[in-house]
Amino acid sequence: MAAAKLTPLGIAVLELLHERPMHPYEMATLMRERYVDTRVNLKAGSLYHTVERLHRSGFIEVVDTQRDGRRPERTVYGMTQTGLDEFNQRARELLGDVAKEFPAYLTGLAVIDELGLEATLKELETRLMRLRAAVASDRAVLQRLTDNEIPDIYWLDWRYQCDHRQFELEWTERLTEDLRSGRIPFQDHQPPKLTLITEEDDDERKTS
């Protein structure tokens, strides 16, 4: 049976195992320290489930067990050659392919006219407040990374997220002002007039 495609969390686990064998608790700690949890859904249950699945698929293997006092025994995993091959293949796909994604914000933007001006402006102001706080936090983290002289190659994903958040903030500020000023007028939920192509029209096109 073919192994399942690596998930973002699976990629993150194998990324860490490039450095050295680790147990899941250490993986989780490092992911949070390195802000990996901003790009993958990191929960204790999902991490252990992912590690088990990687093990069943032959991508990682048990290399050691550790016991610290009375704490439960910890299993240390290392990456196999199969795991390395799969990691490299999936990494190429993630970088080279343009995936079709469906951000929730796009759906919200699509129903603004139905929501109405007052409610729309209220929700956009809430979004702007949260985005401004996030951008300020991003800047603090970026400054810390710069001060610690962390090589850029290790936080390209974080820089992308920060730039994307800054873009969303500026775009939403412009949208809010356009809606408030009337430069983008509401249509009072009137559907656009669309011309339907009838069978007769289609036949006429074919014969013309």
Side-chain angles (χ1 to χ4, degrees), residues 50-62:
T50 296
V51 168
E52 291 174 1
R53 189 164 56 83
L54 291 172
H55 187 222
R56 288 197 306 270
S57 298
F59 297 154
I60 63 176
E61 61 186 354
V62 177

Side-chain angles (χ1 to χ4, degrees), residues 6-70:
L6 286 174
T7 64
L9 185 53
I11 284 280
V13 169
L14 295 182
E15 181 186 348
L16 289 178
L17 294 183
H18 269 80
E19 299 178 26
R20 63 180 184 278
M22 297 183 191
H23 52 74
Y25 180 80
E26 183 181 11
M27 295 176 195
T29 301
L30 284 174
M31 285 183 190
R32 292 190 178 95
E33 288 179 357
R34 299 177 184 181
Y35 306 104
V36 175
D37 56 341
T38 64
R39 60 179 164 90
V40 301
N41 187 14
L42 179 60
K43 296 179 181 178
S46 59
L47 176 60
Y48 281 93
H49 175 74
T50 296
V51 168
E52 291 174 1
R53 189 164 56 83
L54 291 172
H55 187 222
R56 288 197 306 270
S57 298
F59 297 154
I60 63 176
E61 61 186 354
V62 177
V63 297
D64 193 15
T65 54
Q66 298 176 351
R67 181 179 294 278
D68 184 7
R70 296 183 178 180

Side-chain angles (χ1 to χ4, degrees), residues 78-106:
M79 183 162 46
T80 64
Q81 184 61 50
T82 301
L84 178 59
D85 293 341
E86 184 69 15
F87 175 90
N88 289 334
Q89 176 61 32
R90 185 65 180 134
R92 291 190 186 96
E93 293 172 359
L94 290 169
L95 282 176
D97 293 349
V98 180
K100 196 167 187 178
E101 299 175 341
F102 304 92
Y105 191 24
L106 296 185

Side-chain angles (χ1 to χ4, degrees), residues 67-78:
R67 181 179 294 278
D68 184 7
R70 296 183 178 180
R71 293 182 178 179
E73 192 175 72
R74 289 177 175 172
T75 303
V76 179
Y77 296 91

